[in-house]
Amino acid sequence: MDAEADPPTRSRTERHKCFACYKQFKKKEHLVEHMKISYHTPHQPKCGVCQKHCKSFESLRNHLTGPLSRAGCSRTFSAQGCDLCLKLYDSPSSLGKHREICHLSAPASLGTKILPFAGSVDVKYTTKGAKAIAINCGLVGGGTDGSLDLCARVCLVDEDENIIFHTYVQPQSAVTDYRYEITGLTEEHLRNSKSHKEVQDRILEILYNGESARRLMSDSGKARLLVGHDLKRGLDCLRINYPGHLLRYDIQTGEHDPYVDCVSVMRLYKRMRAQDHQGKGIGTPDSDSGFESQKAEELENMTPDELYQISKSDYKCWCLDSSIAAGLNS
């Protein structure tokens, strides 16, 4: 029924080619159905050479550099593209200048030196708006084989990489493997550590930012966006259930220095949030799609470009974060 193709060229078979991803369809109704489920919008990553939309940055990378990459795009990208952010530049000098600032340096590890034994850092932190917070947990092992994840250390940093909260946590069950090679933790670090409930309450206080639980479940309010590596795993260990629309960016799996991971993911989050594209701040997933308000025959009479214009994203783009915050402060 459909097949992926190169960018539009003049051909009889391209009457029903998707304006965004260039897939071809034999019948107009098939193109309409494709548009309903693809959610093509300006928020999607797009090839700077052929302008094809991709579902994710990973699929865009495959389009440009993967084993089945499109030859013309791959050649142009190899000469003019940044292999980190996948943007194109018009000259080697501008590309060279960009690469100098595009590379994100790794933060210096603070290890366990920032905390005295059984110590903590807890800064009274209050701001307006939905600023992001990065979180990371140091996990030790429990159970007979040490495979049960137990939170023993947690760190939170703000967008300026300041530590808001950093403490050792008393695990909820006996530790059978401190995973010292990864965590740097020993029994002595946890001897007089904060209770799991005390830590949980403090983290929620920071994240809620004075917000009610009912308001927290909506798309508005003052609750903070939460970014982190392997977020679900860390939140599960903390027994924290935070709304999915406020979670951003699982960057990897495994454990490292909690402070380093917090700073790394915050830098990556801000870099992604700064990605620019057309239609900034539009196409919220909770708004009704234009397809539902149109009859089937009306949709089939639309051009591929017109179908694209009424298509809306099924996820919250990075650019919407600033729009939400602006709305809160207006």
Side-chain angles (χ1 to χ4, degrees), residues 124-270:
K124 295 300 180 184
Y125 190 76
T126 56
T127 60
K128 296 181 179 179
K131 296 191 72 173
I133 297 293
I135 187 172
N136 189 260
C137 298
L139 305 180
V140 294
T144 56
D145 60 355
S147 63
L148 177 64
D149 288 333
L150 302 171
C151 183
R153 184 181 178 191
V154 66
C155 182
L156 278 72
V157 305
D158 64 14
E159 291 192 24
D160 297 320
E161 302 178 11
N162 299 311
I163 295 176
I164 304 167
F165 185 56
H166 194 181
T167 188
Y168 300 123
V169 186
Q170 188 62 45
Q172 289 188 295
S173 60
V175 178
T176 55
D177 183 358
Y178 283 90
R179 303 174 183 174
Y180 179 79
E181 295 79 5
I182 299 173
T183 66
L185 297 178
T186 65
E187 181 180 359
E188 192 171 1
H189 289 98
L190 307 183
R191 183 162 293 152
N192 297 307
S193 55
K194 290 182 180 293
S195 71
H196 186 277
K197 183 65 167 60
E198 185 179 2
V199 171
Q200 182 189 63
D201 289 345
R202 180 60 182 136
I203 292 174
L204 288 173
E205 181 184 358
I206 293 170
L207 296 181
Y208 275 57
N209 196 23
E211 196 67 272
S212 68
R214 181 183 295 274
R215 188 73 179 276
L216 188 68
M217 299 307 296
S218 70
D219 288 337
S220 58
K222 298 181 293 183
R224 306 182 196 281
L225 296 171
L226 185 62
V227 301
H229 103 85
D230 208 1
L231 274 173
K232 185 180 185 303
R233 187 181 183 188
L235 292 178
D236 285 348
C237 289
L238 287 166
R239 304 293 190 268
I240 290 177
N241 183 22
Y242 206 56
H245 70 272
L246 293 173
L247 302 180
R248 296 291 191 276
Y249 235 140
D250 289 344
I251 61 170
Q252 61 183 14
T253 58
E255 296 83 23
H256 300 279
D257 183 316
Y259 172 76
V260 170
D261 280 342
C262 281
V263 173
S264 297
V265 76
M266 183 59 78
R267 291 179 184 179
L268 182 57
Y269 165 76
K270 290 193 291 185

Side-chain angles (χ1 to χ4, degrees), residues 49 64 69-78:
V49 183
L64 292 168
S69 59
R70 185 170 178 268
C73 297
S74 181
R75 283 195 301 270
T76 302
F77 179 78
S78 64

Side-chain angles (χ1 to χ4, degrees), residues 41-47 52-57 59-60 315:
T41 72
H43 300 287
Q44 290 180 324
K46 187 166 57 174
C47 174
K52 174 187 173 181
H53 288 240
C54 297
K55 284 291 185 181
S56 65
F57 278 93
S59 60
L60 175 57
Y315 63 91

